Amino acid sequence: MVKSNRASQWQWRRSAFWAGVWVLGTLTLWASLTWVERGSIQQAQRDANESLRVQAGALTGLLDRFRSLPPILARQEDIGRLFTPQSDTTVLRDKITELAYLAGAADVALYRQDGGYITSARGLYAQDLNSQDATAELLRAPAESRLGRATLIEGDQARYYAFSALVGGVTNPVGVLVFFVDLSTVEQVWALSRLPIGVTDERGRVILSNVPEWRGRLLSDFARRKPNTIDLRFEGERYAAQEATRALPLLDWRLHAFGISPDLKLDQKLALLFSALITVSLAMGGLLFLRRREQLLATERKERADALRLERLVQRRTRDLHASNRSLQQEIEVRTETERKLLKAQEEVVRSAKLAAIGQMSATLSHEYNQPLATIGTYAENAERFLERGHVDRVQSNLSLIRQQVDRMAALSRTLLTFARKSDPEVRPVSLRAIFDDAVLLVSPRARKAGVQLDVQAVPAECWVMGSQIRLTQVLVNLANNAIDAASVQRDAWVRIEVQSHTEHHAVRVIDNGPGIPLEQRAAIFEPFFTTKPAGVGLGIGLSVVADIVHEVGGEIHITDAPGGGAQFELILRKAAPNP
């Protein structure tokens, strides 16, 4: 009895299974055929859209090339002189033949104001403009200060588009200049496409096409619309196609591009085979599923035990991972603290380099202060004497001179305090002119004392770079001071600071005519505590600080031989937009 019930249940399951297989196969076949047909239509539409985009560019590009030529040439005085009664016919023909050749036009023709034909380069339209309606617009539009346009269709081989302009303008008209464009050149480009293309006028007549049998006929005779597709006929065959169109308003034309749907017979067979394979595969999979169901139930208990053991193993590994993470976090904290201390030490080195530079400039700066102070004293004594004598105007003049000296000392003090201040590590747009001004104010006294001529190029106001103004001023001061020290041993010593702008960066160069730097020392010139100066004269940290600052702001520094001898340091600084 139990065995009979089991057999009945198995028979019922098998019948239900095969019924499900049949339903599944039917649905799979329908879905496959639908998917293949939809993909074919979508592919044809994509082909049509792409062909329309490319070929519309070819057509409009050809016409745009000639559209501006007649108005431009019509304003030329030598074109206007062609319409004088004294103009020789041979000269006229040679001139317009040259125009047609240089412009690449099919023909160039001259007409009188009343539309009468004068001459042309190749005689494509050797008759009056008002002889037919198609060309009357070439005469009427220029008289209304518009560009004349006309389409000339003469059989299957002669198809031209014409542009016209009034020579001499509306104030002094002398005639009409017409350019003829051969539209068959567009068809030659379209001939490279395997897809049919056509241009129709407002009546639906085909003007241009890469299908010869369409030309001069109505497009509707060859393209009949059906639901979801177009029945297209060309080259003696019928095709299922998709259409993409674009209106050309200025020409009163419409461009049509067609995409051909692939033959669905082979695709349908493939879809049927694909559906059968899916159905058979699912059927075999279902049978295997039924056969293995009991085996899976038998192994479920074993898998549950294995999963429990795996869970305990994962918990143990997770504890080990947490311990490793805590150790790694502690190491990260130690490294972060070490990096913070390193940055602080680097900032102190930069500040020490600033103070060292200020100490080196102290003697010359004291002279810069003493000279204005002595001048102020002299002007003050003179002001007292002038006041005793009642010369008030001379007193005011001396007070003005005293104020100028005070302003000079204030500017020097302000620049010196800014230079000594702790710099802002933030990299932002800064003015290269301001950097030059501050650096020159600090190094000029030293250059005068050393007898070195300082030549500084004027920096345009729009020169901005990425960096810190105080840090980049320190860079320029260090390089200029080193150049002054190197050049001071020469008889005609000079130092030149210049800037050159490039597409992505500004190049600042500090050049001197000193003895230069040997090649063997250049590899170590930016190392800390390396110096070429005598013992006790330099610390050897100036160029190291310079290199660090330049790299921090994303720049580069290079050293080369200066033209004519000496050394040249070049800073490559990133361009920046000026701050408002």
Side-chain angles (χ1 to χ4, degrees):
M1 187 67 179
V2 175
K3 291 182 178 180
S4 176
N5 290 336
R6 289 181 178 177
S8 177
Q9 292 178 357
W10 174 253
Q11 184 68 25
W12 179 85
R13 289 178 181 177
R14 184 168 59 182
S15 300
F17 171 76
W18 286 114
V21 170
W22 182 85
V23 173
L24 179 62
T26 303
L27 292 176
T28 304
L29 177 60
W30 174 82
S32 299
L33 292 176
T34 303
W35 174 74
V36 169
E37 183 177 2
R38 183 177 301 172
S40 175
I41 294 175
Q42 291 175 350
Q43 180 62 44
Q45 189 64 55
R46 284 194 296 269
D47 292 343
N49 293 335
E50 178 65 18
S51 178
L52 178 70
R53 183 183 65 81
V54 174
Q55 307 308 337
L59 177 58
T60 57
L62 174 66
L63 297 181
D64 286 345
R65 184 158 59 93
F66 292 96
R67 182 174 57 186
S68 59
L69 284 178
I72 294 175
L73 293 176
R75 296 188 181 94
Q76 305 297 320
E77 294 182 2
D78 55 345
I79 298 298
R81 287 194 292 267
L82 296 178
F83 290 86
T84 60
Q86 296 79 14
S87 298
D88 183 74
T89 304
T90 304
V91 175
L92 288 178
R93 183 177 295 275
D94 291 343
K95 180 63 178 180
I96 60 177
T97 300
E98 181 183 3
L99 289 178
Y101 174 76
L102 293 177
D107 197 3
V108 177
L110 302 179
Y111 297 88
R112 292 190 299 273
Q113 286 182 256
D114 58 359
Y117 174 75
I118 299 176
T119 186
S120 61
R122 300 185 177 94
L124 294 183
Y125 193 78
Q127 51 186 304
D128 296 346
L129 292 180
N130 49 19
S131 61
Q132 56 177 312
D133 294 338
T135 57
E137 180 66 14
L138 295 175
L139 184 62
R140 181 169 51 252
E144 299 174 356
S145 299
R146 294 184 292 112
L147 178 66
R149 301 169 178 268
T151 304
L152 304 180
I153 305 296
E154 298 180 6
D156 183 53
Q157 300 300 324
R159 282 159 297 159
Y160 303 99
Y161 197 83
F163 295 99
S164 65
L166 189 64
V167 179
V170 294
T171 59
N172 187 27
V174 295
V176 178
L177 175 67
V178 181
F179 270 69
F180 294 90
V181 182
D182 189 355
L183 296 178
S184 63
T185 57
V186 178
E187 293 179 334
Q188 294 174 6
V189 176
W190 290 352
L192 301 176
S193 175
R194 62 180 179 83
L195 300 176
I197 306 163
V199 172
T200 59
D201 58 14
E202 64 276 5
R203 295 177 297 173
R205 184 183 57 164
V206 178
I207 300 174
L208 301 173
S209 178
N210 60 348
V211 182
E213 60 188 287
W214 289 7
R215 298 168 189 166
R217 303 278 299 278
L218 293 177
L219 182 60
S220 58
D221 294 341
F222 302 92
R224 300 186 182 276
R225 300 186 178 276
K226 294 183 178 181
N228 300 327
T229 187
I230 294 177
D231 183 14
L232 192 68
R233 178 166 58 87
F234 71 97
E235 296 179 353
E237 299 289 340
R238 290 187 176 274
Y239 300 91
Q242 298 296 317
E243 181 184 20
T245 66
R246 179 179 298 179
L248 305 175
L250 294 178
L251 305 175
D252 292 329
W253 292 350
R254 178 169 290 274
L255 178 62
H256 305 261
F258 297 91
I260 305 302
S261 300
D263 187 3
L264 295 182
K265 294 181 180 179
L266 177 60
D267 292 338
Q268 290 172 346
K269 294 178 181 178
L270 293 176
L272 180 61
L273 178 60
F274 179 67
S275 176
L277 290 175
I278 292 178
T279 303
V280 172
S281 299
L282 292 176
M284 295 299 296
L287 288 175
L288 291 175
F289 171 77
L290 293 176
R291 292 294 185 185
R292 297 189 59 183
R293 181 176 178 80
E294 294 184 0
Q295 297 178 0
L296 292 175
L297 291 174
T299 58
E300 184 177 350
R301 292 187 294 272
K302 181 178 180 300
E303 291 178 353
R304 190 176 300 141
D306 293 341
L308 184 60
R309 286 195 299 270
L310 179 60
E311 184 178 355
R312 288 196 294 267
L313 178 61
V314 169
Q315 290 177 351
R316 186 167 59 251
R317 295 291 177 86
T318 302
R319 288 194 298 269
D320 295 341
L321 183 60
H322 285 326
S324 299
N325 286 339
R326 286 194 298 271
S327 176
L328 181 60
Q329 184 65 31
Q330 293 174 356
E331 183 178 353
I332 291 175
E333 292 175 356
V334 170
R335 294 193 177 186
T336 302
E337 180 65 18
T338 303
E339 182 179 0
R340 186 186 64 79
K341 292 179 180 180
L342 179 61
L343 292 176
K344 184 177 180 181
Q346 183 181 14
E347 184 65 26
E348 291 301 325
V349 170
V350 172
R351 187 170 178 82
S352 298
K354 289 183 182 179
L355 296 177
I358 293 175
Q360 293 175 355
M361 294 185 296
S362 60
T364 54
L365 291 175
S366 64
H367 175 71
E368 287 296 309
Y369 280 114
N370 289 334
Q371 183 179 1
L373 288 173
T375 304
I376 289 172
T378 302
Y379 286 144
E381 291 177 2
N382 292 339
E384 291 178 355
R385 293 189 180 90
F386 288 138
L387 189 59
E388 292 173 357
R389 298 174 183 177
H391 296 168
V392 179
D393 54 339
R394 300 294 297 275
V395 173
Q396 291 178 348
S397 175
N398 280 18
L399 290 178
S400 176
L401 294 173
I402 290 174
R403 185 181 297 107
Q404 292 178 6
Q405 297 299 320
V406 171
D407 292 342
R408 176 184 172 189
M409 295 172 64
L412 183 59
S413 298
R414 187 166 51 253
T415 302
L416 191 60
L417 289 175
T418 301
F419 181 72
R421 187 183 301 126
K422 184 177 181 180
S423 58
D424 184 2
E426 182 181 356
V427 177
R428 57 172 175 262
V430 294
S431 171
L432 194 58
R433 174 187 283 184
I435 294 171
F436 267 53
D437 292 343
D438 290 348
V440 170
L441 189 61
L442 293 173
V443 302
S444 294
R446 184 168 184 172
R448 286 195 295 270
K449 184 176 180 181
V452 177
Q453 179 184 351
L454 186 60
D455 182 13
V456 181
Q457 176 188 340
V459 181
E462 62 272 13
C463 287
W464 285 65
V465 296
M466 295 299 297
S468 166
Q469 180 168 340
I470 297 177
R471 286 176 172 255
L472 291 179
T473 301
Q474 181 181 359
V475 168
L476 199 56
V477 167
N478 284 355
L479 293 179
N481 283 338
N482 286 347
I484 291 170
D485 292 341
S488 61
V489 300
Q490 303 294 337
R491 175 175 300 176
D492 297 325
W494 55 265
V495 172
R496 184 167 64 253
I497 304 177
E498 62 185 24
V499 61
Q500 185 175 4
S501 298
H502 299 274
T503 303
E504 300 292 337
H505 65 272
H506 294 296
V508 179
R509 300 186 183 92
V510 180
I511 309 170
D512 64 74
N513 66 338
I517 299 176
L519 290 175
E520 61 272 10
Q521 293 182 355
R522 294 180 185 179
I525 196 69
F526 296 111
E527 296 292 334
F529 306 109
F530 178 86
T531 180
T532 59
K533 297 178 181 180
V537 176
L539 298 176
I541 62 173
L543 290 180
S544 174
V545 170
V546 165
D548 290 341
I549 293 175
V550 171
H551 293 154
E552 285 176 5
V553 301
E556 301 176 9
I557 182 170
H558 307 286
I559 178 173
T560 58
D561 292 327
Q568 172 177 292
F569 285 83
E570 182 178 43
L571 299 176
I572 305 298
L573 301 176
R574 294 178 296 161
K575 275 188 174 181
N579 277 336

